[in-house]
């Protein structure tokens, strides 16, 4: 699953199409794309796919290419400046740069209004006084045509007057809309005189109270593309049925600087999570997660806080590639990309998540030795560190079994195991409290087994485990994150009307106190670690303090889908 050319940016259907356009000198060989989020929520991994595509194309196509960041801020009731700021932060974090090309659809409101006036003058738009319900009722169905509005044949003068009065604030919300005059019998419902302007007496986060009519997304989007001379407008499959309207507007509005065209690719769907800002907002609003940046969330801010890296996300987007057909991607594939990247640069440390005390009865009391450990076997330059070892240690409860199951090769009563990079120990006695819980293992160590030497006169040691020195270990908070949902497709399983929150994984966050080697005391917030034999962890950027790190589990070392 490495980054092979076949799986990476080579030739997907979008890149092939663009290569042909460049070869044909369409738009003088320019490739101008855009990432057009609506600032009504935080970005998620699906957006990362679109960002990697649009900004990626700009990087790949040399000096005659660029990618715009454009906020499609045409719905003031749902949009906020907080979302605008978070989106910019997320795009930058992924490693992309829009340079001077930051735009807002709201910057075009005056021009978009002018285009609407010109459509009215051409007899291609009219003001409709029907209610929303009436319009819906007369739209027809997939098998029967719609019925023309009684207002469809208003004169140009009357339409111009009414549209101007809509803008002037004379009417209430829902009282009138401006519709494109296309074809009420079109087999494509989007072409049955779609609304292009509506009345909204709402304050806009950028234009304030300057407007009380707002363009519809389907109208603003193609025309904003054209105003920015976008060459390729790439969006997800659900917009395929909107393409004829996109093309109609580009063809019928005069004086546009660009002639963009739209193509669609399949959105990213990932198992055990969902990708809809609306639904993610519900989780946040109802307090079912701890905010947009909760490390369980599929938001960019969530995965960043969890410890995923931009390199891992970009590599994942290359691996999944682009298709024209809906598909479902395994969360395991994303985790694989995260592990591959972290393996290269995460500092290794010893940490014991579920400690059991081990006393080495033949190790001198008060003695401390320092074992030299490699910081990262993947990168020699990361050097080594000294880790204290003494008579009392902690090992992980998972590494001991009183009644071992078949194939268990770690510590058992009377058995022998190697303490990684130290020596072998033999479990002589299991101490329990009054309730029968194990409180301590009394072991002896064999000094002759240092540096990998085999025990003499005893069976071969099959298991190697990690450890921390009890007196030196730090107690740290570790947040073990798991899948957000218990089913692969919470969205699908809940259905349109159903409640997807019923599938939330109640065990998606477990907070424990772990014992960890003292070297992490100096770890800065936002540092990556591999707890050897356990997984990758990240010092929480918000809640960690110097000397008091809080660890988020980024991903388990092995595929978390294999039941432990
Ligand atoms: P949501 O459904 O989560 O609200 P959206 O499509 O409404 O997403 P936008 O802000 O309009 O959100 O999205 C900006 C861009 O990101 C669009 O071009 C959209 O096609 C793309 N995008 C959104 N979701 C995905 C996804 N799951 N996979 C790939 N691209 C996506
Ligand atoms: Mg949307």
């Amino acid at each position: 699953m490495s980054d092979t050319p076949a799986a990476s940016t080579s030739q997907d259907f979008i890149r092939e199409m663009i290569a042909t356009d460049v070869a044909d000198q369409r738009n003088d060989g320019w490739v101008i794309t855009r990432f057009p989020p609506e600032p009504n929520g935080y970005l998620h991994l699906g957006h990362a796919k679109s960002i990697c595509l649009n900004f990626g194309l700009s990087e790949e196509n040399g000096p005659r290419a660029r990618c715009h960041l454009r906020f499609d801020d045409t719905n003031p009731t749902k949009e906020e400046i907080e979302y605008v700021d978070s989106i910019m932060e997320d795009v930058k974090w992924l490693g992309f740069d829009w340079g001077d090309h930051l735009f807002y659809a709201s910057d075009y409101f005056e021009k978009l209004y002018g285009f609407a006036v010109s459509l009215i003058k051409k007899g291609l738009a009219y003001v409709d006084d029907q209610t929303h319900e009436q319009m819906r009722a007369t739209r027809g169905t997939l098998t029967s045509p719609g019925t023309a509005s009684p207002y469809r044949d208003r004169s140009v003068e009357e339409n111009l007057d009414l549209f101007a009065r809509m803008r002037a604030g004379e009417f209430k919300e829902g009282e009138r809309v401006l519709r494109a005059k296309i074809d009420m019998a079109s087999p494509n419902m989007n072409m049955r005189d779609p609304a292009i302007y509506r009345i909204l007496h709402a304050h806009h986060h950028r234009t304030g109270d300057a407007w009380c009519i707002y363009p519809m997304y389907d109208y603003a989007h193609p025309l904003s593309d054209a105003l920015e001379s976008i060459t390729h407008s790439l969006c997800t499959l659900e917009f395929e049925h909107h393409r004829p309207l996109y093309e109609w507007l580009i063809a019928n509005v005069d004086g546009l600087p660009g002639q963009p065209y739209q193509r669609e690719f399949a959105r990213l769907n990932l198992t055990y999570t969902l990708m809809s800002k609306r639904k993610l907002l519900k989780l946040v609003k109802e307090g079912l997660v701890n905010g947009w940046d909760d490390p369980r969330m599929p938001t960019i801010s969530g995965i960043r806080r969890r410890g995923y890296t931009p390199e891992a996300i970009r590599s994942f987007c290359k691996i999944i590639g682009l298709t024209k057909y809906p598909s479902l991607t395994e969360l395991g594939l994303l985790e694989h990309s995260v592990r591959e990247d972290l393996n290269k640069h995460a500092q290794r440390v010893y940490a014991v998540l579920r400690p059991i005390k081990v006393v080495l009865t033949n190790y001198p009391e008060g003695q401390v030795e320092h074992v030299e450990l490699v910081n990262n076997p993947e990168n020699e330059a990361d050097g080594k560190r000294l880790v204290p070892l003494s008579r009392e240690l902690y090992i992980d409860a998972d590494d001991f079994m009183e009644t071992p199951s078949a194939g268990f090769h770690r510590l058992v009563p009377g058995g022998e195991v190697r303490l990684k990079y130290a020596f072998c120990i033999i479990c002589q006695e299991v101490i329990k409290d009054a309730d029968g819980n194990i409180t301590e293992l009394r072991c002896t160590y064999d000094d002759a087994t240092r540096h990998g030497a085999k025990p003499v006169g005893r069976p071969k040691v099959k298991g190697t485990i990690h450890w921390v020195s009890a007196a030196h270990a730090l107690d740290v908070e570790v947040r073990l994150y798991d899948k957000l949902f218990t089913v692969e497709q919470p969205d699908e399983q809940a259905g349109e009307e159903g409640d997807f929150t019923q599938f939330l994984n109640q065990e998606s966050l477990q907070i424990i106190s772990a014992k960890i080697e003292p070297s992490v005391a100096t770890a800065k917030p936002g540092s990556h670690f591999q707890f050897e034999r356990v997984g990758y962890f990240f010092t929480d950027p918000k809640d960690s303090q110097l000397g008091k790190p809080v660890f988020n589990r980024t991903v388990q070392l092995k595929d978390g889908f294999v039941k432990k």
Side-chain angles (χ1 to χ4, degrees):
M1 208 100 54
S2 66
D3 209 356
T4 54
S8 73
T9 49
S10 63
Q11 291 302 6
D12 53 67
F13 72 102
I14 299 269
R15 289 183 164 87
E16 261 168 31
M17 177 186 88
I18 289 178
T20 307
D21 286 345
V22 170
D24 294 349
Q25 285 295 300
R26 186 175 176 272
N27 300 304
D28 295 330
W30 274 90
V31 177
I32 308 175
T33 52
R34 84 289 168 269
F35 173 63
E38 184 185 349
N40 61 350
Y42 280 61
L43 297 183
H44 51 62
L45 282 160
H47 295 113
K49 176 174 178 175
S50 176
I51 293 168
C52 288
L53 171 64
N54 283 296
F55 282 96
L57 283 168
S58 147
E59 288 182 355
E60 291 156 31
N61 283 281
R64 291 204 155 210
R66 62 174 194 252
C67 180
H68 298 184
L69 175 62
R70 182 200 318 137
F71 289 101
D72 252 314
D73 53 349
T74 51
N75 184 358
T77 59
K78 292 198 175 146
E79 294 159 6
E80 285 173 30
I81 196 79
E82 175 195 346
Y83 299 140
V84 170
D85 293 341
S86 76
I87 289 170
M88 292 202 269
E89 186 185 354
D90 290 350
V91 174
K92 280 191 201 148
W93 179 76
L94 281 169
F96 296 108
D97 184 6
W98 53 85
D100 299 333
H101 306 290
L102 173 64
F103 302 99
Y104 295 83
S106 55
D107 289 342
Y108 310 136
F109 280 173
E110 193 62 53
K111 283 188 175 143
L112 295 173
Y113 179 83
F115 293 147
V117 168
S118 73
L119 286 174
I120 293 174
K121 287 183 181 161
K122 287 169 91 174
L124 293 177
Y126 62 98
V127 173
D128 196 343
D129 302 358
Q130 293 184 107
T131 62
H132 185 69
E133 289 69 34
Q134 284 169 331
M135 276 188 275
R136 193 200 294 243
T138 51
R139 237 181 130 209
T141 66
L142 285 175
T143 48
S144 62
T147 339
S149 161
Y151 305 98
R152 196 172 197 262
D153 291 319
R154 276 183 158 145
S155 68
V156 168
E157 290 66 36
E158 190 182 3
N159 279 317
L160 287 175
D161 173 60
L162 284 170
F163 190 47
R165 288 165 57 197
M166 276 169 67
R167 175 180 185 168
E170 280 190 32
F171 309 119
K172 290 202 282 291
E173 278 181 23
E175 227 170 77
R176 287 186 167 80
V177 293
L178 183 71
R179 297 176 75 173
K181 192 170 178 179
I182 309 180
D183 179 4
M184 287 306 289
S186 170
N188 183 326
M189 302 288 277
N190 295 309
M191 298 298 272
R192 293 185 188 172
D193 292 8
I196 57 177
Y197 264 92
R198 59 180 164 165
I199 298 169
L200 271 181
H201 291 282
H203 186 83
H204 187 283
H205 68 100
R206 296 191 79 242
T207 57
D209 297 315
W211 294 88
C212 62
I213 55 170
Y214 290 93
M216 303 299 286
Y217 175 85
D218 273 349
Y219 172 80
H221 188 76
L223 298 175
S224 303
D225 280 350
L227 284 169
E228 291 173 20
S229 296
I230 298 301
T231 57
H232 300 87
S233 183
L234 308 172
C235 59
T236 36
L237 284 179
E238 63 272 23
F239 291 102
E240 201 169 358
H241 298 299
H242 301 240
R243 197 205 287 181
L245 177 55
Y246 188 105
E247 291 174 349
W248 185 90
L249 284 163
I250 299 297
N252 285 291
V253 171
D254 299 324
L256 294 174
Q259 292 285 307
Y261 72 81
Q262 171 182 311
R263 285 296 177 272
E264 309 81 19
F265 61 96
R267 59 191 289 123
L268 170 68
N269 295 308
L270 256 191
T271 55
Y272 298 105
T273 189
L274 46 79
M275 305 274 184
S276 149
K277 277 183 285 185
R278 188 172 55 80
K279 290 181 179 161
L280 297 174
L281 177 65
K282 183 177 159 82
L283 295 179
V284 173
K285 282 223 164 127
E286 294 184 7
L288 298 168
V289 293
N290 302 318
W292 285 101
D293 67 349
D294 186 309
R296 290 168 290 183
M297 289 281 270
T299 51
I300 309 284
S301 50
I303 59 167
R304 173 164 65 231
R305 192 167 170 196
R306 183 158 172 160
Y308 285 20
T309 58
E311 294 77 15
I313 303 307
R314 290 173 69 150
S315 153
F316 169 71
C317 288
K318 274 187 193 168
I319 292 170
I320 57 175
L322 292 177
T323 63
K324 287 186 202 179
Y325 308 100
S327 64
L328 181 64
T329 301
E330 297 280 340
L331 180 57
L333 186 61
L334 174 62
E335 295 192 337
H336 166 84
S337 301
V338 173
R339 277 187 210 106
E340 289 255 295
D341 184 52
L342 290 177
N343 181 45
K344 289 182 225 151
H345 55 80
Q347 150 96 42
R348 272 56 169 173
V349 290
Y350 281 7
V352 171
L353 299 192
R354 290 178 188 82
I356 320 188
K357 189 171 247 186
V358 166
V359 178
L360 303 179
T361 53
N362 60 340
Y363 193 96
E365 253 178 90
Q367 182 174 311
V368 180
E369 62 183 280
H370 287 88
V371 181
E372 194 177 55
L373 297 179
V374 173
N375 285 332
N376 182 357
E378 301 292 318
N379 185 6
E380 222 172 286
D382 284 352
K384 294 180 175 172
R385 68 190 186 287
L386 293 174
V387 177
L389 173 63
S390 60
R391 182 179 153 93
E392 297 198 356
L393 310 168
Y394 290 109
I395 65 165
D396 203 293
D398 284 350
D399 286 330
F400 174 77
M401 274 187 109
E402 197 173 14
T403 327
S405 53
F408 185 80
H409 293 306
R410 287 159 281 158
L411 197 59
V412 300
E416 185 161 6
V417 79
R418 179 172 294 280
L419 294 186
K420 210 169 173 190
Y421 292 112
F423 37 63
C424 295
I425 61 169
I426 299 174
C427 178
Q428 308 289 2
E429 196 183 345
V430 179
I431 313 283
K432 295 184 181 174
D433 64 15
D435 299 326
N437 301 312
I438 299 171
T439 53
E440 190 177 304
L441 303 176
R442 302 209 137 226
C443 302
T444 49
Y445 87 103
D446 179 358
D447 205 62
T449 54
R450 288 178 182 273
H451 310 295
K454 296 193 177 90
V456 176
R458 299 191 302 276
K460 203 174 146 203
V461 172
K462 287 193 181 154
T464 301
I465 66 175
H466 65 283
W467 45 272
V468 292
S469 168
H472 304 90
L474 301 181
D475 289 304
V476 290
E477 177 177 327
V478 176
R479 300 169 180 172
L480 299 174
Y481 293 106
D482 205 342
K483 302 185 281 277
L484 186 53
F485 291 95
T486 52
V487 296
E488 284 203 345
Q489 293 176 276
D491 246 348
E492 294 273 312
Q493 275 193 239
E496 274 298 302
E497 306 299 318
D499 178 13
F500 65 92
T501 62
Q502 66 180 299
F503 299 116
L504 277 169
N505 178 6
Q506 300 303 329
E507 282 153 32
S508 57
L509 170 59
Q510 203 192 336
I511 299 177
I512 60 169
S513 173
K515 300 279 184 187
I516 193 162
E517 63 171 72
S519 71
V520 301
T522 54
K524 294 191 185 74
S527 311
H528 298 281
F529 291 92
Q530 185 198 89
F531 292 3
E532 291 220 28
R533 303 182 57 241
V534 178
Y536 292 98
F537 290 77
F538 187 60
T539 44
D540 190 276
K542 271 192 181 167
D543 298 338
S544 296
Q545 291 160 17
L546 212 56
K548 206 173 178 315
V550 171
F551 288 91
N552 294 330
R553 180 167 69 194
T554 307
V555 64
Q556 299 187 21
L557 208 54
K558 300 204 185 75
D559 196 328
F561 295 87
V562 179
K563 258 278 168 260
K564 286 178 297 195

